[in-house]
């Protein structure tokens, strides 16, 4: 576990809000030199706290605002079934997130498509063709209450 001081935490909060802020802007907000900010960011990257930088797209503007949470149960829990399913599901572009979970189902997938028709096509031609799926259960997003990528530190 890496120790984060108060300035690291403030810096990470600012970067999670907007990674396009320049080191100069960050230095003014945190009352540190540009060099000190640069070095702190590099340290956070080296230590793997900052994994990568991404652009977050507006789902509605790219016609991917039909969100489905699909619960998947495998036929068996053998290592081969799990490994095979996971290697196949990561290749499906419609699946944004996949979690191996405990409980009645083995996996929860977050799927974003443009419509119910697109979801049906995805289910019929892609998801249900994967090996070792025993059953699925889909829940459709009615409204988004909270969506964030930022961690409170």
């Amino acid at each position: 576990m890496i120790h984060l001081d108060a300035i690291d935490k403030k810096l990470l909060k600012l970067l999670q809000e907007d990674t396009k802020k320049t080191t100069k802007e960050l230095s003014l907000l945190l009352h540190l030199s540009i060099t000190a900010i640069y070095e702190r960011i590099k340290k956070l990257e080296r230590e793997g706290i900052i994994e990568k930088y991404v652009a977050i797209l507006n789902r509605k503007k790219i016609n991917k605002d039909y969100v489905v949470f699909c619960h998947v149960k495998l036929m068996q829990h053998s290592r081969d079934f799990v490994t095979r399913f996971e290697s196949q599901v990561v290749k499906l572009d419609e699946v944004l997130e996949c979690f191996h979970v405990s409980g009645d189902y083995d996996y929860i997938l977050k799927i974003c498509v443009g419509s119910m028709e697109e979801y049906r096509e995805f289910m019929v031609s892609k998801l249900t063709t994967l090996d070792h799926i025993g059953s699925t259960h889909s829940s459709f997003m009615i409204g988004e209450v909270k969506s964030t990528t930022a961690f409170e530190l």
Side-chain angles (χ1 to χ4, degrees), residues 130-143:
L130 298 186
D131 296 333
H132 313 306
I133 291 182
S135 64
T136 63
H137 174 81
S138 300
S139 298
F140 305 96
M141 181 183 78
I142 295 170

Side-chain angles (χ1 to χ4, degrees), residues 8-9 14 21 28 31-32 48 53 63 83 136 145:
D8 287 334
K9 290 177 182 179
L14 291 168
K21 280 191 182 359
L28 293 171
H31 310 291
L32 291 173
Y53 299 92
N63 193 31
T83 304
T136 63
V145 177

Side-chain angles (χ1 to χ4, degrees), residues 11-145:
L11 176 59
L12 289 167
K13 181 176 177 20
L14 291 168
L15 289 172
Q16 287 184 100
E17 290 169 4
D18 181 7
T19 60
K20 292 191 80 166
K21 280 191 182 359
T22 65
T23 50
K24 182 178 181 178
E25 290 172 308
L26 293 167
S27 73
L28 293 171
L29 290 167
L30 296 172
H31 310 291
L32 291 173
S33 71
I34 293 171
T35 303
I37 294 294
Y38 176 83
E39 290 302 322
R40 280 181 181 263
I41 291 171
K42 287 299 163 201
K43 178 189 77 161
L44 293 166
E45 290 171 348
R46 265 192 322 274
E47 293 178 352
I49 293 171
I50 297 175
E51 273 188 38
K52 62 183 173 179
Y53 299 92
V54 299
I56 298 172
L57 306 182
N58 181 318
R59 281 194 316 268
K60 286 183 181 179
K61 297 201 181 216
I62 60 167
N63 193 31
K64 300 289 181 194
D65 60 333
Y66 196 80
V67 181
V68 184
F69 298 95
C70 182
H71 298 71
V72 176
K73 188 181 292 190
L74 298 183
M75 288 189 274
Q76 291 180 11
H77 295 100
S78 70
R79 181 182 300 271
D80 178 53
F81 281 31
V82 167
T83 304
R84 182 82 183 225
F85 173 78
E86 289 178 2
S87 69
Q88 292 174 328
V89 79
V90 297
K91 295 175 186 168
L92 300 176
D93 294 332
E94 296 86 350
V95 176
L96 271 67
E97 299 179 62
C98 175
F99 301 97
H100 193 176
V101 297
S102 63
D104 293 337
Y105 289 89
D106 301 311
Y107 293 91
I108 298 176
L109 313 180
K110 179 180 178 184
I111 300 160
C112 294
V113 290
S115 65
M116 174 61 93
E117 293 77 28
E118 272 186 55
Y119 182 64
R120 182 183 186 288
E121 182 60 28
F122 166 77
M123 286 295 287
V124 170
S125 65
K126 293 183 180 180
L127 189 63
T128 57
T129 65
L130 298 186
D131 296 333
H132 313 306
I133 291 182
S135 64
T136 63
H137 174 81
S138 300
S139 298
F140 305 96
M141 181 183 78
I142 295 170
E144 188 170 80
V145 177

